[in-house]
Structure formats: structure tokens, C-alpha cells
Amino acid sequence: MTEASPSATSTPDLRLQAVVELAQDMAGALTPLEAVRAAAVRATSALSATMAAVSVWDRESGRLRVLVNHGDLAAGEEELPEDESYPVADFPEIVTYLEEHWTTGRLPRAWVQTAEDGSPPAGLSHPGAGAFCRQRAAGLRRRGRECCLVAPIVLHGQAWGELYLARGAGLPVFSEDDAQYATLLAAQVSAGLAQTERVADLRRLAFTDPLTGLANRRAVDARLDSALGAHNRDGTVVSLVVCDVNGLKRVNDELGHEMGDRLLERFAHQLSLSAAKLPGSLAARLGGDEFCLLAEGQRADEVVAVAEELCARALELTDGEGVACGIASTGDSIGPVTTADRLFRLADAAQYRAKAARAAHPVVAGRNHGPGFAPDPTVLLA
């Protein structure tokens, strides 16, 4: 008499409860990696497995990359591997789905591989299936495992990766009921990943300007609070560059708001290039025609030099009239700065001076712009 699978004795209610718990755990995850780890943990328990892994198909490299392993791991396996990946062509369950089931609309079935039987399961007609199943069977024996259960994960109608579960040597082989249940679990993992992606997108959008793709004011406030915390602890230099795009109103009135948006996008691109010259800095659009660059840990003179180049490039933008640029840095003589509001006020005041003087160069708070200050009368105000 064949020994029953431990999960075969589970009631439908218990299995349904496991699906609900998996969905709840994934919904509470803050990142996709946390979500797939929750999936691996729950799937291990639900199917009485000794280990589980979730892998993703990296289309750029053509490899199946392991994101997480959970449970009793063999030598060389890590819970969060940095670089464990395999050619996707070696995974017949994914290749078969891609080649034969793309237009059927049905979920790819999970299948069972044992350590003793290297023949491909029914339904896997890919030419390389037999050879790889023999390799996988040998891999199970090498790792001291009795069998594995593989369930392809499909996301947004495309093969995404796979849920892999295994049982140690001496334990019952996964049953057909287990395979059907794993197919359901993989579908729930897919739904959880889709939800996590949406949440991650919403979080990203909450801190991103939709027109330019730069950070928004909320992101600046959060980063600036953190930077000033470091400044007040250990003296880290924090610099804020505030820029107003000159001539935006004229462009909007004469050429239309679409052209005004293009001007803002072009300047945002230049600001992003400037941020790249100051490692760890943040380029942002504060709203309307106002932008800023937040730098942490850079000398004030380095920030000013980058801002000088930015002002020069802004003058070259089509339809633009340059920018009015003000800088405030804790690396200059501006007195104690303990709040974000104070640094913003100092940078804004410098920017207003630049705008009033029609300056083609940045005005820096705490620096003498008297005799050496050379505004450019050719730069008009918006």
C-alpha cells in the first residue's frame, strides 16, 4: 500500500486557509523580495515540504535567477543568494508554457520530479525535457532530497518564474493533488506579486514628479530631514541648490503649455546630469518652474561649481532664458542650520537675489556678491 502524502490528509478547509494566509502575508510585504519570501515560507508549510525556492526569469540575461530559498538548505544554497541562476532553456516547464500554451489562456500545471525517475512528466513535450529531468533527478539525489514540485508563475500573462518545493529523502513523494494545489498556490503568488508591484508603484509615484520623473517636494523633505540629522550629529556638509526656470510663463503664453512642459523636461534632464556629478545627491522638481538639487557630504565649492555649469547649460536650452539659481550650504558661513525650513529659506533668499539681479551665475548664501557680483543683463525675467 502506497504511503499517503502528509498533505493529502489535509482537509480542503485547511488548504483554503493556507491560501488566505499566503495572500495576507504577501499583502503585508513592503517589497517584492519580502513578498516572495513570504510565499516560500507559506508554501513550505502548506505542502509539507522541507524547502522552497522562488525564482524569476531574467529576460535580459535569459536566465532563471533564484530570489529566495527557505527551509532545509543543501550545501551551497543560501537563503538570499546573490548570484544563483540557471539558463532558462534548462527549465522545460517554462519553455513548454512559452512555446505551447501562450494562447490557451489556462494556467501551466505544476509537475512532480522524483530522485529516482528522470523521465519527463506528461504534458512536457519540449525536446530537452527528458535530459533536464534526468539532471534534476540527479540534483535531488545529490542534495539528499526525495522529490520536488515545480509550479510555473505567470504574471500579467507572461511567464515570470517558478515556485519550487522539495521533500527530503525518505519522505513521501508529492501527489497529483499536491501538484494541483501547488498550481493554485502559484496563481496566488502571481496575484500577490501583482499587488506588491502596484503598491511599490504607488509608493514610487508618491515621491516622484510625474512630468519630469525627478523626485518631488515630499521626497526632498524626507531626504533633507535625514541629511540634517547627519549634519547635526557629525558635521556632514549639506547643500541645497534652488533654481527657477526663467521665461516659462512667456513660453506657455506664446507657444503653449506643451512647449512649456518640454522646457521643464529639458531642464530636468540637465539637473539630473548635474546630480550625477555629486554622488548621493537628489534632483527634484518642487513644483511649477522651481527645481532643487540636494547634496550631502560634498564640499560647498564642489556644489557651486556644478551649479555654475548647470546655469551655463540652462542658457543653451531652446526657448529658455536660463535659470535663477540660489545656493545655501552648511559648508559656508550661514550660521547654525538645525531645520530644513532654515536651509530652504536661505537658498530661496539667494535665489531671489539672483532673479532680481538677472544673474547668469548662482548666488551663494553667506558669500560676498558685492563688488565681484556680475549679473548678466541679457537674461530676462519670466
Side-chain angles (χ1 to χ4, degrees):
M1 180 174 171
T2 304
E3 185 177 359
S5 161
S7 56
T9 61
S10 301
T11 66
D13 285 347
L14 290 177
R15 286 199 156 180
L16 178 60
Q17 179 182 345
V19 173
V20 172
E21 290 171 344
L22 185 152
Q24 291 173 336
D25 288 351
M26 293 189 72
L30 297 178
T31 67
L33 183 58
E34 289 183 16
V36 296
R37 187 179 186 283
V41 171
R42 282 295 179 186
T44 302
S45 174
L47 279 156
S48 301
T50 54
M51 73 84 62
V54 178
S55 304
V56 62
W57 176 21
D58 185 346
R59 283 173 166 78
E60 292 183 358
S61 64
R63 299 181 70 84
L64 198 70
R65 180 164 54 87
V66 180
L67 297 176
V68 61
N69 292 305
H70 171 74
D72 296 335
L73 305 185
E77 292 178 332
E78 299 177 351
E79 184 176 6
L80 298 174
E82 291 186 6
D83 187 23
E84 182 183 350
S85 64
Y86 310 91
V88 73
D90 288 346
F91 291 80
E93 67 277 7
I94 291 181
V95 174
T96 299
Y97 172 66
L98 288 174
E99 294 182 352
E100 298 180 7
H101 301 297
W102 187 262
T103 59
T104 64
R106 68 173 182 263
L107 290 174
R109 289 285 306 277
W111 56 278
V112 177
Q113 173 75 57
T114 69
E116 302 304 324
D117 183 6
S119 59
L124 284 184
S125 58
H126 189 268
F132 182 71
C133 288
R134 288 190 292 273
Q135 293 175 19
R136 185 168 260 175
L140 287 170
R141 293 192 296 271
R142 187 169 60 253
R143 293 180 172 90
R145 291 169 182 156
E146 184 70 28
C147 60
C148 67
L149 178 57
V150 183
I153 299 172
V154 179
L155 188 62
H156 307 313
Q158 296 184 344
W160 182 88
E162 71 172 29
L163 172 65
Y164 172 97
L165 300 112
R167 285 180 179 161
L171 293 177
V173 172
F174 290 111
S175 68
E176 177 59 25
D177 284 344
D178 291 332
Q180 293 179 1
Y181 182 55
T183 300
L184 175 62
L185 287 180
Q188 183 56 58
V189 171
S190 173
L193 287 170
Q195 175 64 25
T196 303
E197 282 187 347
R198 287 193 292 271
V199 172
D201 286 343
L202 289 174
R203 288 196 181 97
R204 178 183 59 81
L205 291 173
F207 290 92
T208 304
D209 174 59
L211 174 65
T212 64
L214 300 181
N216 63 13
R217 178 61 186 259
R218 181 181 298 178
V220 173
D221 288 342
R223 177 73 72 84
L224 187 51
D225 284 341
S226 174
L228 288 178
H231 168 69
N232 291 320
R233 284 193 307 271
D234 55 29
T236 299
V237 175
V238 180
S239 304
L240 185 65
V241 181
V242 176
C243 299
D244 267 13
V245 177
N246 293 327
L248 180 63
K249 184 177 185 304
R250 177 190 57 78
V251 172
N252 284 336
D253 292 344
E254 296 179 4
L255 302 177
H257 285 271
E258 183 176 351
M259 295 302 296
D261 287 348
R262 299 294 81 76
L263 175 59
L264 294 175
E265 289 175 325
R266 289 194 296 270
F267 178 72
H269 175 67
Q270 296 300 326
L271 186 66
S272 180
L273 294 177
S274 296
K277 297 179 179 180
L278 299 168
S281 62
L282 180 71
R285 182 187 178 201
L286 301 175
D289 60 359
E290 191 173 16
F291 293 77
C292 81
L293 183 63
L294 174 60
E296 183 178 1
Q298 310 290 337
R299 292 188 301 109
D301 285 345
E302 293 175 342
V303 176
V304 173
V306 169
E308 288 275 7
E309 295 178 9
L310 176 63
C311 289
R313 290 197 301 269
L315 282 170
E316 299 172 357
L317 295 177
T318 303
D319 299 322
E321 299 173 3
V323 295
C325 178
I327 304 174
S329 174
T330 62
D332 284 322
S333 300
I334 58 173
V337 176
T338 58
T339 66
D341 185 58
R342 172 164 170 75
L343 196 64
F344 256 114
R345 286 202 309 270
L346 291 168
D348 281 338
Q351 184 267 324
Y352 291 147
R353 289 180 61 192
K355 182 174 281 287
R358 297 179 173 84
H361 304 278
V363 172
V364 185
R367 297 192 181 186
N368 184 2
H369 293 279
F373 183 44
D376 186 344
T378 64
V379 179
L380 302 178
L381 297 180

